[in-house]
Amino acid sequence: MRVLVTGWPSFLHGEATAGDVLSMRVVRSTLTGAGFACDLAWSPGFRPGELSLDDADPAAYTDLVFTCGPAHGEQVRWLHRRFAACRRTATGVSVLDWHDPAVSGFHRVYPRDAPDFESTVDLAAFAPVEPAPVAGVVLAPGQREYGERRRHDEVHDRLRDWLGSLDCAVVEADTRLDTGDWRKCSTPDQVLALFARFDVVVTTRLHGLVLALRAGVPALAVDPVAGGGKVSAQAAAWRWPAIVGAEEATGPGAREVFDGWWRWCLDRRPR
């Protein structure tokens, strides 16, 4: 018996949500724990280079499991055609119409919700989870006062590219207050409360550094001003070593520098 686990994150034109991926993880964990060989299929747009539905040979599998999301639409019906020789099961799905070929094409269906059916807890609630750090990212505005010494665009491009490679939850934050936008903090106390919940703050802004350290959270500070500006001056005042200059942040070894200070900050995050 060999099982191919699929879901909406498997489709090229599907959607990958945290709930979808966690549900697929539950199915894989359950099957492998029971001793069954199991593969997961991913959209090449979501996880390029990993097994895709087009690459998965239907003859290599005895079973296909589809999990999470609605059992509905042409892409689900296509699964039935491509993997017609497999025993097909849907689990943890929403059923809108039991007579829909996308639903009736499965040999067995275990819905989380369906007409005339008692709802069950979504599978994502039972998924094994690997801890991930939370990084607050606070980037400075243009700061035109620094004139030709400004390196904000280059520094921020390098930081964004590097942040995208990290295994962490990234939360964009701002020290600017706004009483008219629910997405922004409206008081400094709210900003401090937010910062206190981060594991690390990555910032090019002076108060991103100051408020992180005040909250007891390590900060990876990057000065976006060539030759050093107020971020470097504040790091010196705090005697805080995790400061990267604009020249180093835009140089050829920037990623290694960021990685080194990131690990250093993680070792000092609040417990």
Side-chain angles (χ1 to χ4, degrees):
M1 181 174 175
R2 188 172 192 87
V3 185
L4 181 64
V5 178
T6 66
W8 284 98
S10 307
F11 297 130
L12 179 60
H13 301 294
E15 181 181 60
T17 70
D20 293 327
V21 174
L22 288 171
S23 295
M24 293 173 68
R25 188 182 293 177
V26 168
V27 172
R28 177 184 60 184
S29 176
T30 302
L31 290 171
T32 56
F36 299 120
C38 181
D39 295 325
L40 275 65
W42 300 106
S43 163
F46 175 53
R47 291 191 176 173
E50 298 198 25
L51 181 69
S52 70
L53 288 173
D54 286 338
D55 293 333
D57 180 4
Y61 298 96
T62 58
D63 290 75
L64 177 140
V65 175
F66 180 83
T67 184
C68 201
H72 174 78
E74 172 55 29
Q75 294 181 101
V76 179
R77 293 193 292 271
W78 174 83
L79 277 181
H80 297 311
R81 296 192 297 270
R82 178 165 173 78
F83 296 91
C86 295
R87 182 170 46 208
R88 298 179 303 283
T89 301
T91 184
V93 296
S94 293
V95 173
L96 286 72
D97 178 3
W98 284 106
H99 301 291
D100 184 339
V103 178
S104 60
F106 289 106
H107 295 89
R108 290 194 176 185
V109 179
Y110 302 96
R112 63 186 177 192
D113 55 88
D116 302 317
F117 184 87
E118 184 177 355
S119 299
T120 61
V121 175
D122 185 80
L123 291 176
F126 307 104
V129 178
E130 299 176 4
V134 179
V137 178
V138 187
L139 302 182
Q143 298 177 328
R144 302 290 175 183
E145 63 270 24
Y146 284 104
E148 294 182 356
R149 295 171 58 205
R150 293 178 62 256
R151 300 292 184 272
H152 293 62
D153 291 344
E154 301 96 317
V155 167
H156 291 166
D157 284 347
R158 290 293 189 95
L159 275 176
R160 291 187 184 104
D161 181 63
W162 169 71
L163 285 165
S165 71
L166 296 179
D167 182 11
C168 72
V170 177
V171 178
E172 187 174 15
D174 201 339
T175 58
R176 290 176 294 182
L177 305 179
D178 191 331
T179 58
D181 186 344
W182 63 269
R183 294 166 296 184
K184 300 282 199 316
C185 294
S186 58
T187 70
D189 306 282
Q190 293 170 10
V191 174
L192 287 169
L194 178 63
F195 275 45
R197 285 160 173 79
F198 296 141
D199 292 303
V200 178
V201 169
V202 177
T203 186
T204 59
R205 192 159 194 164
L206 180 148
H207 282 117
L209 170 63
V210 171
L211 298 184
L213 298 183
R214 186 186 191 279
V217 176
L220 196 175
V222 182
D223 196 326
V225 177
K230 57 187 176 183
V231 177
S232 295
Q234 194 60 208
W238 282 80
R239 292 179 172 79
W240 184 250
I243 175 72
V244 180
E247 295 82 0
E248 196 172 22
T250 56
R255 183 176 292 268
E256 290 73 19
V257 172
F258 295 152
D259 283 342
W261 283 119
W262 171 256
R263 291 190 295 270
W264 185 87
C265 287
L266 283 181
D267 287 341
R268 288 157 179 80
R269 59 184 152 171
R271 299 298 179 185

